[in-house]
Amino acid sequence: MKTILVTGGAGFIGSHLCEKLLEQGNHVVCLDNLFTGSMVNIRHLLKNKNFEFIKHDIIEPFFYKGRNKGEGRIYQIYNLACPASPVHYQFNAIRTIKANTIGVINMLGLARMHKARFLQASTSEVYGDPLVHPQPESYRGNVNTIGPRACYDEGKRVAETLCFDYNRQNNVDICVVRIFNTYGSKMAINDGRVVSNFIVQALHDKPITIYGDGTQTRSFCYVSDMVDGLITAMNKKGFKGPVNLGNPDEFTVLELAKKIIKLTNSGSKVIFKALPEDDPLQRKPVIKKAISELNWQPTISLDIGLKETIIYFKNKVA
Ligand code: UDP
């Protein structure tokens, strides 16, 4: 049995990942400071003897010895710890930067100590408001270094740099994946991102809040596809990335709103609000590299994924 550390393990993607890694027979150590993560996401895992939850903020150093004999060597680290919704990462911008610098250094140091393979959850936000469309990994991005999104975008960019420097300088075995918009069960009601906002609004027959004119685009990946992608990248020996993980089917925000109104049979109307500063106008991953090097591509269409997500939110708001 192998010990695998998941930081941000009580979060939306992290908790799905912990579940899957446990299913695969691993000993899973979940770190989370519970800022956006929630015990509700992992409550059902706590009774599993192979699951360990430790409330910890990666901004502080972390050392691990294992509860039982044989558990003490960390074999892999998935570093997912960081608020990912613009509302949450902008709430305390300095803390977001700390998570992506000091926090990443702490976790890379831990990886070095344990000779663990380290996967960094990077983001499509490294491309900023992209001038190249769709975005291949070779595109170097268009980020406003001083804008409200920079704490996250620049934080994640330097986190990528740290991974490659720890690899070059300290031989840490690293892998960088760039996660594009992802949705599904275990998202918080107050997550603030577009899919959860629209579904919750639609279920309450409240106005659907479109920021801007709704012509901006995003490409939405269902969480089970994303988790498969993360595990595949981690287990591909020697693969460093960076690699885009996301669903290349692109939709405008207005199209998404209409889809959600239809699928929920909602009486909601759309209303238009101001577009937040630096909100990217378009986003769609080129996933050629994931297909050719990892043999991974998403399998769940937006309609199917939304139906599942709507069922989850229906139970949550009931
Ligand atoms: N958005 C919106 N209404 C909402 C929440 C988000 O129109 O209630 C828009 C947002 O301005 C952006 C897109 O939906 O253009 C995706 O936003 P999200 O916060 O989900 O993630 P992002 O891709 O911007 O990080």
Side-chain angles (χ1 to χ4, degrees), residues 73-94:
R73 151 121 205 269
I74 299 170
Y75 171 70
Q76 292 176 336
I77 300 175
Y78 288 87
N79 188 43
L80 270 60
C82 182
S85 161
V87 209
H88 295 297
Y89 70 63
Q90 289 171 23
F91 174 75
N92 187 338
I94 295 168

Side-chain angles (χ1 to χ4, degrees), residues 84-87 89 123-125 149 152-153 180-182 187 191-198 201 208-212 214 216-220 253-254 256 271 273-276 278-281 283:
S85 161
V87 209
Y89 70 63
T123 167
S124 52
E125 287 284 320
R149 296 174 84 103
Y152 186 74
D153 299 11
F180 281 64
N181 295 64
T182 301
M187 288 186 101
D191 178 273
R193 276 175 289 192
V194 69
V195 173
S196 48
N197 272 10
F198 285 4
Q201 289 162 347
I208 306 280
T209 55
I210 294 191
Y211 304 158
Q216 71 271 39
T217 67
R218 294 293 186 274
S219 309
F220 302 98
V253 165
L254 189 58
L256 177 74
I271 56 166
K273 295 196 157 192
L275 188 68
D278 293 336
D279 198 287
L281 288 179
R283 185 180 292 151

Side-chain angles (χ1 to χ4, degrees), residues 2-232:
K2 287 172 174 148
T3 296
I4 300 182
L5 182 75
V6 179
T7 78
F12 157 50
I13 299 180
S15 56
H16 280 281
L17 178 63
C18 287
E19 218 171 79
K20 188 87 190 216
L21 293 170
L22 282 168
E23 265 170 42
Q24 294 180 342
N26 300 292
H27 172 73
V28 176
V29 182
C30 162
L31 292 197
D32 207 298
N33 69 357
L34 300 179
F35 171 55
T36 54
S38 163
M39 290 308 286
V40 175
N41 288 341
I42 53 166
R43 197 184 286 146
H44 61 296
L45 304 178
L46 294 171
K47 53 182 182 293
N48 187 326
K49 65 176 180 7
N50 294 324
F51 183 70
E52 215 179 316
F53 170 72
I54 303 171
K55 185 168 186 289
H56 183 87
D57 191 319
I58 61 161
I59 292 175
E60 305 298 332
F62 176 74
F63 301 95
Y64 185 75
K65 288 208 172 73
R67 292 180 306 190
N68 303 304
K69 210 167 173 278
E71 287 174 358
R73 151 121 205 269
I74 299 170
Y75 171 70
Q76 292 176 336
I77 300 175
Y78 288 87
N79 188 43
L80 270 60
C82 182
S85 161
V87 209
H88 295 297
Y89 70 63
Q90 289 171 23
F91 174 75
N92 187 338
I94 295 168
R95 230 183 151 78
T96 300
I97 297 175
K98 283 186 181 170
N100 285 312
T101 51
I102 302 168
V104 173
I105 290 171
N106 284 336
M107 292 304 108
L108 281 163
L110 186 70
R112 184 184 183 197
M113 227 184 297
H114 284 257
K115 298 198 173 10
R117 179 155 159 86
F118 182 92
L119 179 140
Q120 171 63 16
S122 189
T123 167
S124 52
E125 287 284 320
V126 300
Y127 303 122
D129 188 5
L131 303 176
V132 167
H133 191 74
Q135 296 81 52
E137 290 86 353
S138 55
Y139 178 50
R140 292 187 182 174
N142 175 39
V143 174
N144 174 7
T145 60
I146 57 171
R149 296 174 84 103
C151 59
Y152 186 74
D153 299 11
E154 293 295 352
K156 289 286 186 181
R157 286 169 68 96
V158 82
E160 290 197 2
T161 310
L162 282 165
C163 288
F164 279 81
D165 282 334
Y166 267 76
N167 175 256
R168 279 187 286 258
Q169 222 171 304
N170 295 331
N171 276 319
V172 174
D173 184 9
I174 57 112
C175 177
V176 171
V177 301
R178 295 180 177 155
I179 298 177
F180 281 64
N181 295 64
T182 301
Y183 69 100
S185 65
K186 297 188 193 292
M187 288 186 101
I189 286 185
N190 69 347
D191 178 273
R193 276 175 289 192
V194 69
V195 173
S196 48
N197 272 10
F198 285 4
I199 293 179
V200 173
Q201 289 162 347
L203 291 176
H204 287 122
D205 286 329
K206 292 215 171 113
I208 306 280
T209 55
I210 294 191
Y211 304 158
D213 61 7
T215 55
Q216 71 271 39
T217 67
R218 294 293 186 274
S219 309
F220 302 98
C221 184
Y222 191 59
V223 65
S224 57
D225 280 333
M226 183 54 62
V227 166
D228 285 346
L230 295 175
I231 295 176
T232 306

Side-chain angles (χ1 to χ4, degrees), residues 217-284:
T217 67
R218 294 293 186 274
S219 309
F220 302 98
C221 184
Y222 191 59
V223 65
S224 57
D225 280 333
M226 183 54 62
V227 166
D228 285 346
L230 295 175
I231 295 176
T232 306
M234 176 64 109
N235 291 323
K236 176 86 184 186
K237 212 167 176 280
F239 180 76
K240 292 183 201 176
V243 65
N244 290 338
L245 293 183
N247 190 319
D249 293 342
E250 185 183 15
F251 297 88
T252 67
V253 165
L254 189 58
E255 281 169 342
L256 177 74
K258 287 186 178 155
K259 239 183 210 311
I260 289 175
I261 290 173
K262 195 164 161 213
L263 290 171
T264 50
N265 281 321
S266 172
S268 293
K269 298 270 168 289
V270 300
I271 56 166
F272 295 90
K273 295 196 157 192
L275 188 68
E277 193 180 338
D278 293 336
D279 198 287
L281 288 179
Q282 49 186 359
R283 185 180 292 151
K284 167 183 162 132

